[in-house]
Amino acid sequence: MKIEKINHKRILFFLVFAFGISWATGLVIYLTGGLENSPTYDIGGAEISLALILLATAYMFGPALANLITRLITKEGTNNLFLKPNFENKRWRYYLAAWFLPGLLTIIGMILFFLLFPNYFDSGLSTLKDMLSESGQTGNINPWLVTVIQTIQALLISPLLNALPTFGEEFGWRGYLQPKLMPLGGQKAVLLTGVIWGIWHWPVILMGYNYGKDYFGAPFLGPLAMVWFTLSLSIIFGWLTIKAENVWPAVIAHGALNGIASLGILFVKNNPDPLLGPAPVGIIGGIGLTLTALLLLANPSSLKRS
């Protein structure tokens, strides 16, 4: 039996480029006003900030570019890109899980948050009403009906709509780093990937992404909470990648999560601490993801190659 060895050189090259590209982009965002005061541009009639453009392109695609650059420099070539879809041996189940599981777990965490903190629940959906009013959609529109429709759309469509930007991360983390760490075993591979992935987010977290700047323990607990969040996601996305033997289920799952992550905002009042929820980046808002990750971690066979 051939024992795989970790290629430290390739991992180091990948991390240097992934962090270098993304963190350099983060520096540009910081120097041009950060997330709050970034200059805006009129694109197709919509005002879009430079920060948003850079986040969706150079920052998020840093890991994917690092994958390609590392392969070029180390002459690894294009073997094992983890891009070929594989539906054999009922692997379609992992695509189905990727499509719906993140959204359902996010909804579970959101519901639990409001059950524990009912004073933050706005049954009148004031936020959505204001959004409808600003867009000129007033009258007899039922905000609860709109919420249900938006939730269904998010569950069904967002994995596709968000696939391109999430590919920038997943092609790097699950498509390159995780496979390179697999000689350590599936559990260690997904955990290490999760920690590294969380740290990669730190520049934008410190600028207020996800948690803002006015939360308990700012600015230190936000970056730590992000690592906790990415650890849960890394286990789930890692499981999907390992079992499907390609990166697409992780891309789909990441897109599904991004598409429904802000659903809780529609029900919020009185400014809850984002470290808790209702979004899945909060400890309670993300409890469904965390428990699922722990179940997978507790079952060693779930993170072993088929």
Side-chain angles (χ1 to χ4, degrees):
M1 179 179 178
K2 184 179 179 180
I3 299 177
E4 290 184 88
K5 294 183 179 179
I6 290 185
N7 193 315
H8 295 90
K9 179 181 178 181
R10 286 175 176 166
I11 291 175
L12 179 60
F13 271 116
F14 170 79
L15 292 177
V16 167
F17 288 116
F19 277 78
I21 294 169
S22 297
W23 282 21
T25 304
L27 180 61
V28 173
I29 293 173
Y30 175 75
L31 294 176
T32 54
L35 300 178
E36 298 173 348
N37 300 308
S38 178
T40 59
Y41 302 93
D42 189 325
I43 301 178
E47 291 290 322
I48 302 178
S49 70
L50 175 63
L52 181 59
I53 294 171
L54 291 176
L55 278 175
T57 54
Y59 201 105
M60 291 189 69
F61 271 84
L65 292 173
N67 182 344
L68 298 176
I69 295 171
T70 301
R71 290 176 180 274
L72 179 64
I73 290 178
T74 63
K75 299 181 180 180
E76 183 176 356
T78 56
N79 292 327
N80 301 319
L81 283 174
F82 285 87
L83 291 178
K84 185 178 180 180
N86 186 350
F87 299 101
E88 296 178 353
N89 299 321
K90 297 184 179 180
R91 287 190 175 91
W92 58 267
R93 296 175 297 177
Y94 301 106
Y95 294 83
L96 187 64
W99 204 287
F100 293 106
L101 188 60
L104 295 175
L105 294 177
T106 297
I107 292 173
I108 289 172
M110 180 189 72
I111 292 173
L112 178 61
F113 174 84
F114 286 122
L115 287 175
L116 292 175
F117 302 101
N119 55 307
Y120 291 123
F121 181 67
D122 180 13
S123 60
L125 299 178
S126 301
T127 299
L128 180 57
K129 286 181 179 178
D130 291 341
M131 292 169 61
L132 292 172
S133 178
E134 290 175 3
S135 64
Q137 301 179 54
T138 56
N140 296 321
I141 298 177
N142 187 325
W144 278 99
L145 178 61
V146 173
T147 301
V148 171
I149 292 173
Q150 288 185 342
T151 302
I152 294 173
Q153 287 178 336
L155 288 170
L156 295 178
I157 302 174
S158 60
L160 283 179
L161 296 180
N162 296 322
L164 180 59
T166 58
F167 177 81
E169 290 188 62
E170 296 307 323
F171 186 51
W173 304 125
R174 252 59 62 182
Y176 194 84
L177 180 60
Q178 179 179 296
K180 290 292 183 288
L181 293 173
M182 281 301 287
L184 296 173
Q187 291 172 314
K188 290 181 180 179
V190 297
L191 290 173
L192 277 173
T193 301
V195 171
I196 292 168
W197 185 26
I199 294 172
W200 172 83
H201 283 86
W202 280 2
V204 290
I205 299 300
L206 290 170
M207 283 188 275
Y209 195 71
N210 284 133
Y211 302 103
K213 295 181 179 179
D214 188 25
Y215 56 85
F216 175 78
F220 304 106
L221 292 187
L224 295 178
M226 175 52 60
V227 172
W228 177 260
F229 178 58
T230 54
L231 273 171
S232 296
L233 294 187
S234 185
I235 295 168
I236 297 172
F237 295 175
W239 162 66
L240 293 169
T241 301
I242 291 168
K243 293 304 183 182
E245 295 185 353
N246 67 87
V247 76
W248 293 112
V251 173
I252 292 169
H254 198 156
L257 181 69
N258 286 0
I260 205 168
S262 59
L263 177 64
I265 295 175
L266 301 179
F267 302 93
V268 161
K269 65 179 180 180
N270 299 332
N271 299 316
D273 194 317
L275 289 179
L276 296 177
V281 292
I283 301 300
I284 296 175
I287 195 67
L289 295 164
T290 300
L291 292 178
T292 301
L294 290 174
L295 287 173
L296 290 170
L297 198 63
N299 180 11
S301 64
S302 65
L303 297 173
K304 287 183 178 180
R305 294 170 177 148
S306 302

